[in-house]
Amino acid sequence: MLQDQSTIVVRALVVYTPAVRKALDQFGSSPDTLATLAIESTNLASKNSNVRMLLKLVKAEEIAYVEKDFPSDLAMLQGSAWVKAEREAAKANVVFL
């Protein structure tokens, strides 16, 4: 059983593509708004499940990339010097596409 009752904070960098921005623009929304809502929903689900984790959005940034498939997208995230630099600058623990 866990003795430490502290909440873990996970710093998140969200990168999104021009296609995502364009699709959200059609509905009068933005990637920043969607990223914030996703973080808030995750935090609410964690709270309701008694999970001691808080996801914190540290940055949302557009990346010049066209989505392909999961393996290709994951390889791009893992191999991109730009993503690595953005993650390090934001001190993010995790990157979401």
Side-chain angles (χ1 to χ4, degrees):
M1 181 171 175
L2 269 176
Q3 298 298 320
D4 184 2
Q5 298 297 314
S6 62
T7 299
I8 295 170
V9 177
V10 178
R11 298 172 53 87
L13 166 65
V14 173
V15 293
Y16 56 88
T17 64
V20 168
R21 180 183 36 78
K22 289 175 188 173
L24 290 171
D25 282 347
Q26 293 177 358
F27 297 101
S29 190
S30 72
D32 290 332
T33 300
L34 183 60
T36 299
L37 288 172
I39 296 292
E40 289 173 354
S41 295
T42 300
N43 287 336
L44 181 59
S46 294
K47 181 181 177 182
N48 290 342
S49 301
N50 295 317
V51 174
R52 292 182 306 273
M53 180 199 73
L54 179 68
L55 200 54
K56 179 179 179 185
L57 179 62
V58 292
K59 188 172 185 181
E61 186 75 29
E62 185 169 317
I63 185 170
Y65 178 72
V66 176
E67 303 95 327
K68 295 175 182 73
D69 54 52
F70 182 79
S72 299
D73 297 344
L74 180 59
M76 179 280 298
L77 284 174
Q78 291 173 328
S80 169
W82 181 85
V83 171
K84 181 180 180 183
E86 290 294 313
R87 180 180 179 190
E88 289 175 357
K91 295 182 171 81
N93 304 107
V94 64
V95 178
F96 295 107
L97 174 66

